[in-house]
Amino acid sequence: MKRIAWLFILALLPLSPLSAEAQTPEEKGLAIAREADLRDTGFADQSNQMVMTLKNRHGESSVRHMRLKVLEVEGDGDKSLSIFNRPRDIKGTAMLTFSHATEPDDQWMYLPALKRVKRISSRNKSGPFMGSEFAFEDLGSQEVEKYTYRWLRDEPLDGRDCFVIERIPAYKHSGYTSQTVWLDKQMYQPLKVDYFDRKKALLKTQTFGEYRQYLDQFWRAHDIHMVNHQTGKSTHLEWSDVQFKTGLSERDFNRNSLKRAK
């Protein structure tokens, strides 16, 4: 009886979205994005240390140390808090982001020199974050609903099989018309993203390396590069001391937590 029941249940289940026939490129792109999101669900919270190296077109660099906390939010986008530890002139500067699936992200920045919290307008999401090549809109979690998708092709990148998909921001005031993503077929994590500006010209390329798996499920890149092709500037992020399920709560992610961050 159980066998019959299981066969019945299996017959009702839809085919795997990636194996079904007759998918349009848009359907396949969306199915890939949903699968990537599903595989990264359930981490609860995360914290890590980070070194940010800014480099100008002449090769001159400056280094900043910061830490990042992320809280997974069921039914909405994640919450994150980035805090600069050094150098001294920016120590205590903090950025709080409430990502949303369909609404514009809410973002606030605390500037210790002014002792005030500044709200980042949704119209300024394309602006640079702390002089880096990352825009404010790059800092929020990449919720599936934020984009429309189209599968372009399959192709290897650096010896790894990838899906190549195009995603177009569905939210207002983005600085990008589209992004092309090389997504690793095994990890379902990005290896490379090309960003195209409002004139549809290639603006930036982000690459991800040194992936490590945590809790037998969650992959995190420890080496991230963002190169601006139009200015010659770049930003390099090195992650360390990655921890999950440390007991972070909503109390760690509000405007008061910005002022407490040091």
Side-chain angles (χ1 to χ4, degrees), residues 46 65 104 117 126 190 225 231 233 242 250:
Q46 172 193 327
H65 294 256
V117 175
S126 60
H225 273 92
T231 65
K233 298 179 180 178
V242 179
E250 294 281 351

Side-chain angles (χ1 to χ4, degrees), residues 113-173:
L114 302 178
K115 295 183 178 179
R116 73 181 183 95
V117 175
K118 174 184 177 183
R119 185 181 179 90
I120 307 299
S121 167
S122 60
R123 293 182 178 276
N124 293 330
K125 301 298 184 187
S126 60
F129 170 63
M130 293 295 287
S132 74
E133 298 313 305
F134 289 89
F136 288 107
E137 66 181 286
D138 300 332
L139 304 181
S141 58
Q142 303 297 294
E143 304 301 318
V144 173
E145 296 84 354
K146 282 186 170 182
Y147 303 92
T148 60
Y149 300 87
R150 184 164 65 104
W151 171 81
L152 299 177
R153 60 190 180 272
D154 292 346
E155 73 177 19
L157 179 66
D158 297 331
R160 298 187 68 90
D161 291 334
C162 292
F163 300 112
V164 183
I165 60 174
E166 178 189 63
R167 61 185 188 188
I168 297 175
Y171 52 92
K172 294 181 179 178
H173 310 304

Side-chain angles (χ1 to χ4, degrees), residues 14-61:
L15 291 173
S16 166
L18 303 184
S19 62
E21 299 293 338
Q23 280 185 308
T24 66
E26 289 76 14
E27 290 170 340
K28 184 170 182 176
L30 178 59
I32 293 168
R34 285 176 171 167
E35 179 67 17
D37 183 64
L38 180 65
R39 294 188 182 204
D40 203 49
T41 297
F43 65 86
D45 66 67
Q46 172 193 327
S47 64
N48 61 274
Q49 301 291 322
M50 196 156 44
V51 177
M52 172 188 281
T53 303
L54 312 180
K55 187 173 291 186
N56 65 22
R57 65 169 61 199
H58 305 295
E60 299 165 333
S61 62

Side-chain angles (χ1 to χ4, degrees), residues 20-225:
E21 299 293 338
Q23 280 185 308
T24 66
E26 289 76 14
E27 290 170 340
K28 184 170 182 176
L30 178 59
I32 293 168
R34 285 176 171 167
E35 179 67 17
D37 183 64
L38 180 65
R39 294 188 182 204
D40 203 49
T41 297
F43 65 86
D45 66 67
Q46 172 193 327
S47 64
N48 61 274
Q49 301 291 322
M50 196 156 44
V51 177
M52 172 188 281
T53 303
L54 312 180
K55 187 173 291 186
N56 65 22
R57 65 169 61 199
H58 305 295
E60 299 165 333
S61 62
S62 59
V63 178
R64 299 167 176 183
H65 294 256
M66 53 196 294
R67 60 189 190 276
L68 174 67
K69 301 177 181 178
V70 180
L71 181 70
E72 187 175 33
V73 179
E74 187 175 351
D76 199 359
D78 300 337
K79 297 181 178 181
S80 64
L81 180 61
S82 306
I83 308 152
F84 285 84
N85 298 328
R86 51 191 165 108
R88 180 180 299 179
D89 60 336
I90 59 171
K91 181 179 180 180
T93 301
M95 179 80 186
L96 178 66
T97 299
F98 290 1
S99 299
H100 302 297
T102 56
E103 300 291 326
D105 292 350
D106 292 309
Q107 292 180 307
W108 301 268
M109 176 170 279
Y110 177 64
L111 304 169
L114 302 178
K115 295 183 178 179
R116 73 181 183 95
V117 175
K118 174 184 177 183
R119 185 181 179 90
I120 307 299
S121 167
S122 60
R123 293 182 178 276
N124 293 330
K125 301 298 184 187
S126 60
F129 170 63
M130 293 295 287
S132 74
E133 298 313 305
F134 289 89
F136 288 107
E137 66 181 286
D138 300 332
L139 304 181
S141 58
Q142 303 297 294
E143 304 301 318
V144 173
E145 296 84 354
K146 282 186 170 182
Y147 303 92
T148 60
Y149 300 87
R150 184 164 65 104
W151 171 81
L152 299 177
R153 60 190 180 272
D154 292 346
E155 73 177 19
L157 179 66
D158 297 331
R160 298 187 68 90
D161 291 334
C162 292
F163 300 112
V164 183
I165 60 174
E166 178 189 63
R167 61 185 188 188
I168 297 175
Y171 52 92
K172 294 181 179 178
H173 310 304
S174 175
Y176 312 122
T177 52
S178 68
Q179 302 170 13
T180 303
V181 183
W182 281 256
L183 195 80
D184 184 278
K185 287 186 176 181
Q186 181 184 4
M187 299 185 293
Y188 274 77
Q189 289 288 332
L191 298 184
K192 174 181 170 183
V193 182
D194 279 342
Y195 297 84
F196 295 85
D197 66 13
R198 290 169 178 165
K199 296 181 180 178
K200 300 183 179 181
L202 179 60
L203 175 62
K204 302 186 293 189
T205 295
Q206 187 175 15
T207 54
F208 304 80
E210 294 191 22
Y211 271 102
R212 300 175 197 170
Q213 191 177 36
Y214 294 87
L215 306 180
D216 295 324
Q217 179 179 352
F218 307 109
W219 292 95
R220 293 293 182 271
H222 287 61
D223 188 272
I224 302 171
H225 273 92

